[in-house]
Structure formats: C-alpha cells, structure tokens
Amino acid sequence: MKILLNESELQTGVEKLAQQIADTYRENPLTIVGVMTGSVVLLADTIRKLSMPLRVGVVQAASYEGDRRGDLKINAELMPDISKRAVLLIDDIFDTGHTLEKVVGLMKSFSPSSIRSAVLLKKTGRQEVQYTPDFIAFDIPDEFVVGYGLDFNDEYRNLPYLAALEESDLAKHRN
Ligand code: IMP
Ligand code: MG
C-alpha cells in the first residue's frame, strides 16, 4: 500500500473543511447527514469541530463490490425528518459523482430549506455529472484508495491514514 495522506495531513484538511462549514452556517441550526458507511470517520471528526446546534443522521448508499461498480442502493430509513431544515450531506469521496447526485436528489424530495454537500476526497478527472460538492477537503489522483472510512470489500476502513491499493494488495483478495 502507498500512503497518500497521513494522519496529521488528514486532520489539517478536516479542520479546514470544518472551518469552511462553520463560516457558511455560523450559529444557524444544521442537520448533517452522513452517507454510510464510507463517511463514518469523517462524520465523527467533523461534527466534533462544529459548535452550531447540530443534528446528525445517516443515509446508506452502496454501489461497489470490491473495486467494481454495481447498482446503487440507497436506504433512507434511518434519516431524521429534514423538512425545512438546512442539510449538509457528508460523504467520503466524489468519484464519478453519480452517488452524491442521486442522494442529493433524494434529499430534495424531503423538502429541506437548503442542501449542500461536503466530501473528504475528489478524484481528479473522473466526474460524469454536472453536480459538484460545496466543500472538498482534498483532490487526489485517480487511484483506488482505502482508510479513514474508505473500504475495499468492507475492509481497511479503520486505517488512520489514506492509502492507495497496489496490484499486490488487490491480488491478495482474488484467491
Ligand atoms: P461515485 O458515485 O462514482 O462518485 O462513487 C462514490 C462512492 O464510491 C463513494 O461514496 C465510495 O463509497 C465509493 N468509492 C469510489 N472510489 C473509491 C475508492 O477509491 N475507494 C473506496 N471507495 C470508493
Ligand atoms: Mg460511499
């Protein structure tokens, strides 16, 4: 594995991200909705850096099997009522953009007063949609990355750093 962002680089980026969110919403009430499961670490770190009245919910979106894309499934059953509320979606990575675009569309159907999104990572040159997240902590090259919440087959989410999987790592999962 090749480390792309170490623990302290991640923390610096997340602090800047939280500062931009704080500057945008000030002391106004906010509902943060984490896109599970990849945003779990970013969600936990970000909410502890914010001081406005805050509610937290989750929505589940899953589209990957290993490193291959499957059908997108969205489960909003665990989401709190967001009608007339300012909502900030948090996700791990903006790759093609289809996931976040679809989740934002679903959120809009619940009539929030506003909807924005924040992501830890944006993969360079991969986007296939018009939508762009409002807050982005890091731009990264087009590599499959794990750690800090991001997984390969639900593994590696617990790594405190962000690493790119190499061919030798992927080979271990094939047998
Ligand atoms: P998109 O719909 O292509 O933007 O894909 C977004 C989702 O795919 C993210 O929320 C991640 O869960 C997953 N994903 C995309 N790229 C990676 C990666 O490099 N590592 C782990 N998960 C990824
Ligand atoms: Mg995800």
Side-chain angles (χ1 to χ4, degrees), residues 63-64 69 91-99 123 143-145 150-151:
S63 64
Y64 266 82
R69 187 171 301 274
D91 204 0
D92 51 359
I93 185 165
F94 195 68
D95 183 17
T96 64
H98 289 292
T99 302
K123 258 191 220 177
E143 294 185 81
F144 196 85
V145 290
L150 290 101
D151 74 304

mmCIF file of all heavy atoms in Angstrom, residues 63-64 69 91-99 123 143-145 150-151, ligand 1:
data_model
loop_
_atom_site.group_PDB
_atom_site.id
_atom_site.type_symbol
_atom_site.label_atom_id
_atom_site.label_comp_id
_atom_site.label_asym_id
_atom_site.label_seq_id
_atom_site.Cartn_x
_atom_site.Cartn_y
_atom_site.Cartn_z
ATOM 1 N N SER A 63 -22.614 1.063 -3.719
ATOM 2 C CA SER A 63 -22.583 0.785 -5.150
ATOM 3 C C SER A 63 -21.415 -0.094 -5.570
ATOM 4 O O SER A 63 -21.311 -0.476 -6.720
ATOM 5 C CB SER A 63 -22.538 2.088 -5.949
ATOM 6 O OG SER A 63 -21.347 2.774 -5.673
ATOM 7 N N TYR A 64 -20.524 -0.404 -4.629
ATOM 8 C CA TYR A 64 -19.324 -1.133 -5.018
ATOM 9 C C TYR A 64 -19.321 -2.577 -4.563
ATOM 10 O O TYR A 64 -19.791 -2.898 -3.476
ATOM 11 C CB TYR A 64 -18.077 -0.459 -4.424
ATOM 12 C CG TYR A 64 -17.451 0.519 -5.385
ATOM 13 C CD1 TYR A 64 -17.935 1.805 -5.515
ATOM 14 C CD2 TYR A 64 -16.372 0.135 -6.167
ATOM 15 C CE1 TYR A 64 -17.358 2.701 -6.398
ATOM 16 C CE2 TYR A 64 -15.794 1.019 -7.054
ATOM 17 C CZ TYR A 64 -16.286 2.292 -7.161
ATOM 18 O OH TYR A 64 -15.709 3.165 -8.039
ATOM 19 N N ARG A 69 -17.903 -1.404 -9.810
ATOM 20 C CA ARG A 69 -19.154 -0.724 -9.557
ATOM 21 C C ARG A 69 -20.347 -1.640 -9.801
ATOM 22 O O ARG A 69 -20.418 -2.330 -10.803
ATOM 23 C CB ARG A 69 -19.237 0.465 -10.511
ATOM 24 C CG ARG A 69 -20.375 1.393 -10.293
ATOM 25 C CD ARG A 69 -20.142 2.593 -11.170
ATOM 26 N NE ARG A 69 -18.880 3.211 -10.802
ATOM 27 C CZ ARG A 69 -18.773 4.098 -9.830
ATOM 28 N NH1 ARG A 69 -19.814 4.459 -9.154
ATOM 29 N NH2 ARG A 69 -17.606 4.617 -9.542
ATOM 30 N N ASP A 91 -19.934 12.895 2.579
ATOM 31 C CA ASP A 91 -19.540 11.612 2.004
ATOM 32 C C ASP A 91 -18.020 11.508 1.949
ATOM 33 O O ASP A 91 -17.312 12.506 2.083
ATOM 34 C CB ASP A 91 -20.162 11.417 0.615
ATOM 35 C CG ASP A 91 -20.281 9.932 0.249
ATOM 36 O OD1 ASP A 91 -19.891 9.069 1.067
ATOM 37 O OD2 ASP A 91 -20.761 9.631 -0.854
ATOM 38 N N ASP A 92 -17.554 10.293 1.750
ATOM 39 C CA ASP A 92 -16.109 10.073 1.761
ATOM 40 C C ASP A 92 -15.440 10.587 0.496
ATOM 41 O O ASP A 92 -14.455 11.303 0.545
ATOM 42 C CB ASP A 92 -15.780 8.581 1.993
ATOM 43 C CG ASP A 92 -16.536 7.646 1.040
ATOM 44 O OD1 ASP A 92 -17.329 8.118 0.203
ATOM 45 O OD2 ASP A 92 -16.326 6.415 1.149
ATOM 46 N N ILE A 93 -15.998 10.214 -0.678
ATOM 47 C CA ILE A 93 -15.278 10.505 -1.906
ATOM 48 C C ILE A 93 -16.230 10.804 -3.057
ATOM 49 O O ILE A 93 -17.283 10.183 -3.188
ATOM 50 C CB ILE A 93 -14.320 9.339 -2.255
ATOM 51 C CG1 ILE A 93 -13.447 9.663 -3.472
ATOM 52 C CG2 ILE A 93 -15.061 8.041 -2.479
ATOM 53 C CD1 ILE A 93 -12.255 8.713 -3.627
ATOM 54 N N PHE A 94 -15.862 11.786 -3.847
ATOM 55 C CA PHE A 94 -16.602 12.149 -5.040
ATOM 56 C C PHE A 94 -15.812 11.608 -6.219
ATOM 57 O O PHE A 94 -14.743 12.122 -6.559
ATOM 58 C CB PHE A 94 -16.722 13.672 -5.117
ATOM 59 C CG PHE A 94 -17.741 14.167 -6.095
ATOM 60 C CD1 PHE A 94 -19.094 13.962 -5.882
ATOM 61 C CD2 PHE A 94 -17.352 14.873 -7.227
ATOM 62 C CE1 PHE A 94 -20.047 14.446 -6.778
ATOM 63 C CE2 PHE A 94 -18.294 15.359 -8.120
ATOM 64 C CZ PHE A 94 -19.639 15.142 -7.893
ATOM 65 N N ASP A 95 -16.326 10.542 -6.818
ATOM 66 C CA ASP A 95 -15.600 9.877 -7.898
ATOM 67 C C ASP A 95 -16.312 10.219 -9.209
ATOM 68 O O ASP A 95 -16.103 11.297 -9.751
ATOM 69 C CB ASP A 95 -15.555 8.376 -7.591
ATOM 70 C CG ASP A 95 -14.764 7.591 -8.626
ATOM 71 O OD1 ASP A 95 -13.994 8.202 -9.379
ATOM 72 O OD2 ASP A 95 -14.919 6.356 -8.688
ATOM 73 N N THR A 96 -17.185 9.365 -9.734
ATOM 74 C CA THR A 96 -17.952 9.761 -10.922
ATOM 75 C C THR A 96 -18.983 10.819 -10.557
ATOM 76 O O THR A 96 -19.416 11.598 -11.397
ATOM 77 C CB THR A 96 -18.713 8.565 -11.531
ATOM 78 O OG1 THR A 96 -19.677 8.099 -10.590
ATOM 79 C CG2 THR A 96 -17.765 7.442 -11.899
ATOM 80 N N GLY A 97 -19.409 10.823 -9.289
ATOM 81 C CA GLY A 97 -20.394 11.798 -8.822
ATOM 82 C C GLY A 97 -21.826 11.289 -8.835
ATOM 83 O O GLY A 97 -22.724 11.943 -8.315
ATOM 84 N N HIS A 98 -22.034 10.104 -9.410
ATOM 85 C CA HIS A 98 -23.410 9.591 -9.520
ATOM 86 C C HIS A 98 -24.056 9.375 -8.147
ATOM 87 O O HIS A 98 -25.233 9.672 -7.949
ATOM 88 C CB HIS A 98 -23.432 8.288 -10.325
ATOM 89 C CG HIS A 98 -23.156 8.497 -11.784
ATOM 90 N ND1 HIS A 98 -24.047 9.161 -12.610
ATOM 91 C CD2 HIS A 98 -22.092 8.170 -12.555
ATOM 92 C CE1 HIS A 98 -23.528 9.213 -13.843
ATOM 93 N NE2 HIS A 98 -22.349 8.622 -13.830
ATOM 94 N N THR A 99 -23.270 8.866 -7.185
ATOM 95 C CA THR A 99 -23.837 8.579 -5.866
ATOM 96 C C THR A 99 -24.358 9.851 -5.211
ATOM 97 O O THR A 99 -25.524 9.941 -4.822
ATOM 98 C CB THR A 99 -22.776 7.930 -4.942
ATOM 99 O OG1 THR A 99 -22.302 6.746 -5.574
ATOM 100 C CG2 THR A 99 -23.365 7.588 -3.582
ATOM 101 N N LYS A 123 -11.738 12.691 -6.709
ATOM 102 C CA LYS A 123 -10.776 12.065 -7.622
ATOM 103 C C LYS A 123 -10.671 12.889 -8.890
ATOM 104 O O LYS A 123 -11.678 13.177 -9.543
ATOM 105 C CB LYS A 123 -11.238 10.647 -7.971
ATOM 106 C CG LYS A 123 -10.502 9.577 -7.216
ATOM 107 C CD LYS A 123 -10.801 8.217 -7.801
ATOM 108 C CE LYS A 123 -10.951 7.216 -6.667
ATOM 109 N NZ LYS A 123 -11.312 5.886 -7.163
ATOM 110 N N GLU A 143 -6.823 6.871 -8.231
ATOM 111 C CA GLU A 143 -6.363 5.570 -7.742
ATOM 112 C C GLU A 143 -7.400 5.062 -6.755
ATOM 113 O O GLU A 143 -8.126 5.859 -6.164
ATOM 114 C CB GLU A 143 -5.021 5.729 -7.013
ATOM 115 C CG GLU A 143 -3.899 6.149 -7.917
ATOM 116 C CD GLU A 143 -2.564 6.177 -7.171
ATOM 117 O OE1 GLU A 143 -1.965 5.116 -6.999
ATOM 118 O OE2 GLU A 143 -2.151 7.274 -6.767
ATOM 119 N N PHE A 144 -7.476 3.738 -6.559
ATOM 120 C CA PHE A 144 -8.426 3.206 -5.594
ATOM 121 C C PHE A 144 -7.821 3.322 -4.203
ATOM 122 O O PHE A 144 -6.767 2.764 -3.922
ATOM 123 C CB PHE A 144 -8.803 1.753 -5.898
ATOM 124 C CG PHE A 144 -10.044 1.348 -5.165
ATOM 125 C CD1 PHE A 144 -11.304 1.626 -5.696
ATOM 126 C CD2 PHE A 144 -9.969 0.745 -3.922
ATOM 127 C CE1 PHE A 144 -12.458 1.307 -4.999
ATOM 128 C CE2 PHE A 144 -11.126 0.409 -3.216
ATOM 129 C CZ PHE A 144 -12.371 0.690 -3.770
ATOM 130 N N VAL A 145 -8.495 4.085 -3.332
ATOM 131 C CA VAL A 145 -7.929 4.388 -2.016
ATOM 132 C C VAL A 145 -8.759 3.775 -0.886
ATOM 133 O O VAL A 145 -9.969 3.564 -1.031
ATOM 134 C CB VAL A 145 -7.804 5.914 -1.799
ATOM 135 C CG1 VAL A 145 -6.726 6.500 -2.684
ATOM 136 C CG2 VAL A 145 -9.140 6.620 -2.044
ATOM 137 N N LEU A 150 -12.811 4.726 4.157
ATOM 138 C CA LEU A 150 -12.989 4.121 2.824
ATOM 139 C C LEU A 150 -12.561 2.655 2.839
ATOM 140 O O LEU A 150 -11.597 2.282 3.500
ATOM 141 C CB LEU A 150 -12.176 4.879 1.770
ATOM 142 C CG LEU A 150 -12.713 6.272 1.469
ATOM 143 C CD1 LEU A 150 -11.896 7.316 2.182
ATOM 144 C CD2 LEU A 150 -12.741 6.544 -0.019
ATOM 145 N N ASP A 151 -13.301 1.856 2.073
ATOM 146 C CA ASP A 151 -13.104 0.401 2.144
ATOM 147 C C ASP A 151 -12.789 -0.232 0.807
ATOM 148 O O ASP A 151 -13.012 0.351 -0.259
ATOM 149 C CB ASP A 151 -14.381 -0.259 2.657
ATOM 150 C CG ASP A 151 -15.470 -0.263 1.575
ATOM 151 O OD1 ASP A 151 -15.804 0.822 1.071
ATOM 152 O OD2 ASP A 151 -15.952 -1.356 1.200
HETATM 153 P P1 IMP B 1 -19.286 7.802 -7.335
HETATM 154 O O1 IMP B 1 -20.759 7.509 -7.411
HETATM 155 O O2 IMP B 1 -18.539 7.288 -8.508
HETATM 156 O O3 IMP B 1 -18.959 9.247 -7.057
HETATM 157 O O4 IMP B 1 -18.729 6.924 -6.184
HETATM 158 C C1 IMP B 1 -18.845 7.327 -4.905
HETATM 159 C C2 IMP B 1 -18.792 6.171 -3.949
HETATM 160 O O5 IMP B 1 -17.999 5.060 -4.428
HETATM 161 C C3 IMP B 1 -18.123 6.682 -2.723
HETATM 162 O O6 IMP B 1 -19.079 7.128 -1.782
HETATM 163 C C4 IMP B 1 -17.340 5.480 -2.236
HETATM 164 O O7 IMP B 1 -18.127 4.744 -1.333
HETATM 165 C C5 IMP B 1 -17.086 4.634 -3.463
HETATM 166 N N1 IMP B 1 -15.703 4.842 -3.976
HETATM 167 C C6 IMP B 1 -15.325 5.499 -5.093
HETATM 168 N N2 IMP B 1 -13.995 5.495 -5.237
HETATM 169 C C7 IMP B 1 -13.499 4.816 -4.174
HETATM 170 C C8 IMP B 1 -12.161 4.492 -3.743
HETATM 171 O O8 IMP B 1 -11.126 4.816 -4.358
HETATM 172 N N3 IMP B 1 -12.066 3.770 -2.589
HETATM 173 C C9 IMP B 1 -13.161 3.381 -1.877
HETATM 174 N N4 IMP B 1 -14.422 3.686 -2.225
HETATM 175 C C10 IMP B 1 -14.588 4.394 -3.370
#
